[in-house]
Amino acid sequence: MPPVQRPSEEQQPVRVARPRSYVMCRPTYFDVEYAINPWMDPTLAVDRELALRQWQGLVDAYRALGHEVRVVEGVEGLPDMVFVADSGLVVDGVGVGARYLSPMRQAEAPAVQAWLRDQGVVDLHMPTFVNEGEGDFLVVGGLVLAGTGFRTDLAAHHEAQEHLGVPVVSLQLVDARTYHLNTALGVLDDRTVAYYPPAFSDGSRRVLERLFPDAVIATAEDVSWLGLNLVSDGRNVVLPAQATRLADELRLRGYHPVPVDLSELRKSGGSAKCCTLELHRSTR
């Protein structure tokens, strides 16, 4: 096989970072006490102090890149509250709250919604249908990509569109290990995503091919490390340190990978994006 011809530095596209505002929740009470996705095994020991150090490393990485991080304090009895991205979607100061499918997580939503109200997100819609926030809603430029199949109800896609006034594109998830959209697809900038095709139905794959012909295509190896559960500012891509193949591909595309070790949080099926709720500002 001939060697891969990698583009020179001059040929790589110029990626531009944009300052972001993130909400995060300290994993003070993090644990794996139940199993609501294929990653979770309550028989495995959790090192909470290590989880806290790894989480702080993620906070430090964001701040070193010039991003704002606001911290919600965890609530005792809610071990998954660190995955705050699942508790809402906010675009230009308009928010849609979450309604969790699993009874074990349902109390997280009102806690985060109260915090968002205190922070001035005044137009916060309380959903009728099950949705798990940025777990299944991802903003790409002027669109919201919305996952369904395991957690978020399809009717919640229409509900979010009506409240936000932003076009919503529905995508069917079919692989239980990618139970949330943000484990099957990562947003890199306003025009580019990375995704794992086998996570989606045939029709949804064709939709993604039409919308993002230049997408980064991930592999099963990337998914095994939750590599697509990434956070990008348009240039710098924060992703699990173990997702080295994906990091190499992103570097080839002109992005700057920023590896972080979140292996302890991975025991609950989450990584960088799950820990990060973005307060989106449109670029139009």
Side-chain angles (χ1 to χ4, degrees):
M1 179 181 294
V4 176
Q5 297 298 314
R6 293 182 177 272
S8 67
E9 185 174 344
E10 290 77 14
Q11 294 172 315
Q12 291 179 348
V14 176
R15 308 294 183 181
V16 179
R18 179 166 56 85
R20 311 293 175 119
S21 181
Y22 299 136
V23 176
M24 300 180 67
C25 180
R26 201 183 316 276
T28 307
Y29 305 103
F30 174 70
D31 206 344
V32 181
E33 299 177 354
Y34 43 76
I36 57 173
N37 68 55
W39 301 83
M40 302 176 82
D41 182 353
T43 67
L44 293 179
V46 168
D47 187 334
R48 189 175 292 164
E49 290 304 314
L50 176 57
L52 279 161
R53 290 197 300 273
Q54 291 181 344
W55 177 87
Q56 187 61 53
L58 179 60
V59 173
D60 293 345
Y62 289 148
R63 288 177 171 159
L65 293 170
H67 305 307
E68 176 188 40
V69 177
R70 306 190 215 179
V71 176
V72 181
E73 294 302 327
V75 175
E76 189 171 4
L78 299 177
D80 278 338
M81 195 169 164
V82 61
F83 303 125
V84 68
D86 301 342
S87 283
L89 170 66
V90 179
V91 181
D92 290 334
V94 178
V96 175
R99 182 181 293 273
Y100 282 96
L101 177 66
S102 302
M104 292 79 83
R105 297 195 67 188
Q106 286 174 357
E108 295 175 36
V112 176
Q113 288 159 7
W115 186 91
L116 289 171
R117 285 198 186 91
D118 289 344
Q119 296 298 307
V121 181
V122 293
D123 188 7
L124 185 61
H125 174 71
M126 295 297 99
T128 300
F129 301 99
V130 170
N131 88 70
E132 298 203 351
E134 284 197 308
D136 276 322
F137 289 131
L138 295 176
V139 177
V140 189
L143 295 175
V144 173
L145 302 181
T148 189
F150 295 100
R151 301 290 183 84
T152 295
D153 195 289
L154 183 61
H157 298 182
H158 175 73
E159 186 175 28
Q161 178 172 275
E162 287 301 299
H163 187 66
L164 296 172
V166 177
V168 173
V169 176
S170 296
L171 299 170
Q172 183 76 30
L173 297 165
V174 297
D175 183 337
R177 281 176 67 80
T178 54
Y179 61 96
H180 272 156
L181 181 62
N182 69 14
T183 63
L185 183 148
V187 178
L188 299 174
D189 56 43
D190 287 346
R191 294 179 297 276
T192 315
V193 303
Y195 70 97
Y196 179 55
F200 298 92
S201 67
D202 289 344
S204 294
R205 282 200 299 272
R206 293 196 299 272
V207 168
L208 289 169
E209 288 165 2
R210 285 176 177 269
L211 288 175
F212 307 105
D214 296 323
V216 174
I217 302 302
T219 68
E221 176 189 349
D222 304 324
V223 171
S224 72
W225 288 108
L226 289 171
L228 291 168
N229 199 247
L230 55 81
V231 177
S232 175
D233 61 15
R235 178 180 182 272
N236 304 292
V237 183
V238 179
L239 78 168
Q242 297 82 358
T244 54
R245 194 218 68 87
L246 182 58
D248 287 344
E249 178 67 19
L250 293 171
R251 194 175 292 109
L252 179 64
R253 298 290 196 96
Y255 295 99
H256 175 236
V258 180
V260 291
D261 185 3
L262 296 171
S263 53
E264 204 63 18
L265 295 174
R266 177 175 171 265
K267 292 179 178 179
S268 200
S271 192
K273 179 55 193 170
C274 286
C275 294
T276 311
L277 172 63
E278 183 171 348
L279 303 181
H280 293 276
R281 295 184 293 268
S282 43
T283 56
R284 65 180 185 273

